[in-house]
Amino acid sequence: MTRRSTLGARNRGIPEATVARLPVYLRALHTLAERGVVTVSSEELAAAAGVNSAKLRKDLSHLGSYGTRGVGYEVQYLVYQISRELGLTQDWSVAIVGLGNLGRALAGYGGFASRGFRMSALLDADPAIVGDRINGLTVEHIDKLEQVITDCGISIAVLAVPASAAQAVCDRVVASGVTSILNFAPVVLTVPDGVDVRKVDLSIELQILAFHEQRKAGGPGGVEQEYLEAVDGS
Amino acid sequence: MTRRSTLGARNRGIPEATVARLPVYLRALHTLAERGVVTVSSEELAAAAGVNSAKLRKDLSHLGSYGTRGVGYEVQYLVYQISRELGLTQDWSVAIVGLGNLGRALAGYGGFASRGFRMSALLDADPAIVGDRINGLTVEHIDKLEQVITDCGISIAVLAVPASAAQAVCDRVVASGVTSILNFAPVVLTVPDGVDVRKVDLSIELQILAFHEQRKAGGPGGVEQEYLEAVDGS
DNA sequence: AAGCCTTTGTGAACGCACGCACAAAGTCGG
DNA sequence: CCGACTTTGTGCGTGCGTTCACAAAGGCTT
Ligand SMILES: NC(=O)c1ccc[n+]([C@@H]2O[C@H](COP(=O)([O-])OP(=O)(O)OC[C@H]3O[C@@H](n4cnc5c(N)ncnc54)[C@H](O)[C@@H]3O)[C@@H](O)[C@H]2O)c1
Ligand SMILES: NC(=O)c1ccc[n+]([C@@H]2O[C@H](COP(=O)([O-])OP(=O)(O)OC[C@H]3O[C@@H](n4cnc5c(N)ncnc54)[C@H](O)[C@@H]3O)[C@@H](O)[C@H]2O)c1
């Protein structure tokens, strides 16, 4: 059978690397759309997204054949297809746990709502923080976690609590039915199968930059006998 | 000569994937050290870091042979070796540009200093913000950018400015001598060769989670004829 | 209607990364 | 001093991701 069946190019099983780039393409497309651009070639879009054009085309080919040869891709249509693939045609309710420095910044950020992510619940353990209103939402006490998550139909949680509390909070949100977690605490979270965790660790990012920075400056080599000096104070 | 030469296992050219994991190992090692652990096996450390033990050993082998067969790795010694490889035996001066919601959270965070990153300069364009004291530092006007970066010997900059200003600010910090950038603005930055950019995009992280979340719920397939409905209001 | 020009979609080659599995190396008890 | 046991360091097979390069496809002009 030469004919392509129902799931032809639309093979369930989009490479993870591709999934991670789709939001970048989407952002570039939104910018183009605002500028009134109707059609875009893979070359132009790739440049806007900061990737190789072959890679872009292969990525898009995983969703289907949505381009027109000799012309390019229709911006609006592609926005819709990528959005659909990413699950952005529906709204997602998100809970933020931990409304300290970072949690507040996240709760007050407008860039999420525009992508279909609604911050539906803010939770904290500190009585001094519970009751605060942030961006139109009231901070609830962590004791209401299970109730709030169930009531709001929340499946995504953002953890902005101290590292020492992260695993415990994680366990609770998972027990309440959350299956996707964005973790800011510098710890490795353990979760059951079927639960996705993504971590954002700013300290790690800086350390990676420092590594390359050091390379540019000449590298660590040269001095070999420094350990004893560094450890032994004498 | 059987003795390992200056560059033996210490091959210049550590895989990028390894570099990204070294900070995770380092964090796990610090935790173990605090707990008084002297020696750790690859199996234990791998578990603490959430990776495969073979991967851990291969990663560490890129720095040299710092383990003892039959015993494991000495925690303190390994901390030192990884720190040195990452360039954390020296302090790094970092500038934060944009002291809005996010910039403030970053400036107030204590977790950076403990890794050798000193926030040396805070810069913003808003006169209402310039002069504020955050965590013992005064916010300077962006006009002093070049001067401050030069004076403090800053080579790493964190950008927490609006997307619309990011590229312009980026160009300025690069022109001032910064060669490593951590970017929070949702834009693709263009920089000259030799400058490293790492991006942190929380919106993208949520979108990736949404993609997998949708999969768990049954996937987008099924309904094929939705585009016209979605675009055309009628 | 035909041919030219542009751009897509993908086959194929390559390189990196992961993880298994094991020999070599070292420890520790007797 | 020796033998059993533990754990490292790595060779190797496998799979994923990237990139090149080009045939096929469609539009546009004449
Ligand atoms: N602020 C930053 O820039 C930054 C940078 C990198 C990483 N982080 C990490 O992000 C996390 C939050 O950072 P932060 O600066 O906002 O810390 P923070 O101390 O300001 O805020 C933590 C909040 O969590 C709350 N909390 C503590 N235990 C809780 C529990 N069991 N249940 C619910 N809430 C609880 C606290 O009341 C507090 O409001 C930390 O893990 C930190 O390491 C922060
Ligand atoms: N707050 C969040 O949780 C969050 C989440 C994801 C992404 N981001 C991104 O991080 C960036 C900062 O977010 P935010 O919420 O802190 O925004 P914000 O508007 O609160 O702060 C931006 C700051 O940058 C300053 N600024 C503007 N133009 C400047 C210039 N040319 N030079 C120097 N300073 C300038 C402003 O005065 C302001 O203080 C944005 O690009 C945003 O999209 C923020």
Side-chain angles (χ1 to χ4, degrees):
Chain A
M1 90 174 177
T2 24
R3 196 157 195 338
R4 199 170 272 128
S5 72
T6 318
L7 38 101
R10 283 272 303 293
N11 201 349
R12 246 83 271 260
I14 296 180
E16 196 54 34
T18 296
V19 173
R21 281 187 295 266
L22 289 179
V24 180
Y25 303 153
L26 196 50
R27 195 168 68 201
L29 286 165
H30 274 127
T31 306
L32 291 169
E34 275 172 28
R35 226 184 287 156
V37 177
V38 175
T39 281
V40 68
S41 71
S42 65
E43 204 70 50
E44 294 164 329
L45 183 53
V51 302
N52 183 296
S53 73
K55 181 150 54 178
L56 171 77
R57 287 197 299 275
K58 184 151 285 186
D59 282 343
L60 294 183
S61 76
H62 285 117
L63 324 188
S65 274
Y66 298 136
T68 306
R69 292 167 191 242
V71 178
Y73 302 88
E74 198 200 328
V75 174
Q76 291 294 346
Y77 187 55
L78 201 49
V79 162
Y80 173 73
Q81 291 299 344
I82 294 179
S83 296
R84 194 169 64 92
E85 198 62 44
L86 286 174
L88 305 181
T89 47
Q90 63 181 284
D91 270 20
W92 295 95
S93 283
V94 179
I96 299 179
V97 187
L99 276 296
N101 289 320
L102 191 56
R104 270 163 204 277
L106 297 171
Y109 182 54
F112 297 135
S114 62
R115 287 282 178 283
F117 295 98
R118 188 174 33 212
M119 300 298 147
S120 299
L122 308 180
L123 298 153
D124 202 294
D126 188 343
I129 292 179
V130 172
D132 284 9
R133 291 191 68 84
I134 303 176
N135 215 16
L137 266 178
T138 305
V139 178
E140 306 277 352
H141 192 274
I142 187 76
D143 284 351
K144 296 197 186 154
L145 187 145
E146 288 76 10
Q147 182 200 323
V148 165
I149 285 180
T150 310
D151 291 357
C152 300
I154 290 172
S155 52
I156 303 177
V158 175
L159 304 193
V161 298
S164 55
Q167 184 64 58
V169 170
C170 172
D171 292 345
R172 283 186 69 180
V173 298
V174 168
S176 306
V178 163
T179 44
S180 290
I181 293 173
L182 183 54
N183 176 39
F184 285 88
V187 283
V188 177
L189 293 180
T190 304
V191 294
D193 283 354
V195 176
D196 284 314
V197 176
R198 294 192 67 85
K199 71 162 198 287
V200 175
D201 194 317
L202 312 180
S203 188
I204 287 182
E205 299 300 325
L206 285 180
Q207 289 173 63
I208 295 172
L209 286 175
F211 171 82
H212 292 294
E213 197 60 38
Q214 178 182 233
R215 287 281 157 123
K216 294 175 202 164
V223 193
E224 288 283 344
Q225 214 70 344
E226 257 185 47
Y227 176 60
L228 290 178
E229 278 178 47
V231 166
D232 186 13
S234 71
Chain B
M1 111 171 170
T2 24
R3 200 162 195 335
R4 196 169 277 126
S5 74
T6 318
L7 39 101
R10 284 270 304 292
N11 199 350
R12 249 83 269 262
I14 295 179
E16 195 54 34
T18 296
V19 173
R21 280 187 296 267
L22 290 178
V24 180
Y25 303 152
L26 196 51
R27 195 169 67 201
L29 287 165
H30 275 127
T31 306
L32 292 169
E34 274 171 28
R35 225 184 287 156
V37 177
V38 174
T39 282
V40 69
S41 72
S42 64
E43 204 72 48
E44 294 165 328
L45 183 53
V51 302
N52 183 295
S53 72
K55 181 151 56 179
L56 171 76
R57 288 197 297 276
K58 185 155 287 185
D59 282 343
L60 294 183
S61 77
H62 285 116
L63 324 189
S65 274
Y66 297 136
T68 308
R69 290 166 192 241
V71 177
Y73 302 88
E74 197 200 328
V75 174
Q76 291 294 347
Y77 187 55
L78 201 49
V79 163
Y80 174 73
Q81 291 300 343
I82 295 179
S83 296
R84 194 169 64 92
E85 197 60 44
L86 287 173
L88 304 180
T89 45
Q90 63 182 284
D91 270 20
W92 294 96
S93 284
V94 178
I96 299 179
V97 187
L99 277 295
N101 288 319
L102 191 57
R104 270 163 205 276
L106 296 172
Y109 181 57
F112 297 136
S114 62
R115 287 282 177 285
F117 296 97
R118 187 175 33 210
M119 300 297 147
S120 299
L122 309 180
L123 299 153
D124 203 294
D126 188 343
I129 292 178
V130 172
D132 284 9
R133 291 191 68 84
I134 302 175
N135 215 16
L137 267 179
T138 304
V139 179
E140 305 278 353
H141 193 274
I142 187 75
D143 284 351
K144 295 198 186 149
L145 189 146
E146 288 75 11
Q147 182 200 324
V148 165
I149 286 181
T150 308
D151 291 356
C152 301
I154 290 172
S155 52
I156 302 177
V158 175
L159 304 193
V161 297
S164 54
Q167 183 65 56
V169 170
C170 172
D171 292 345
R172 281 186 69 181
V173 298
V174 168
S176 307
V178 164
T179 45
S180 289
I181 294 173
L182 182 53
N183 176 38
F184 286 88
V187 284
V188 177
L189 293 180
T190 304
V191 294
D193 283 355
V195 176
D196 284 314
V197 176
R198 293 193 67 86
K199 70 161 197 289
V200 175
D201 194 316
L202 313 179
S203 188
I204 286 183
E205 298 300 326
L206 286 179
Q207 289 173 63
I208 295 173
L209 286 175
F211 170 83
H212 292 295
E213 197 59 39
Q214 177 181 234
R215 288 280 158 122
K216 294 175 201 162
V223 193
E224 287 283 345
Q225 214 69 347
E226 257 186 49
Y227 176 59
L228 290 178
E229 280 177 48
V231 166
D232 186 14
S234 72

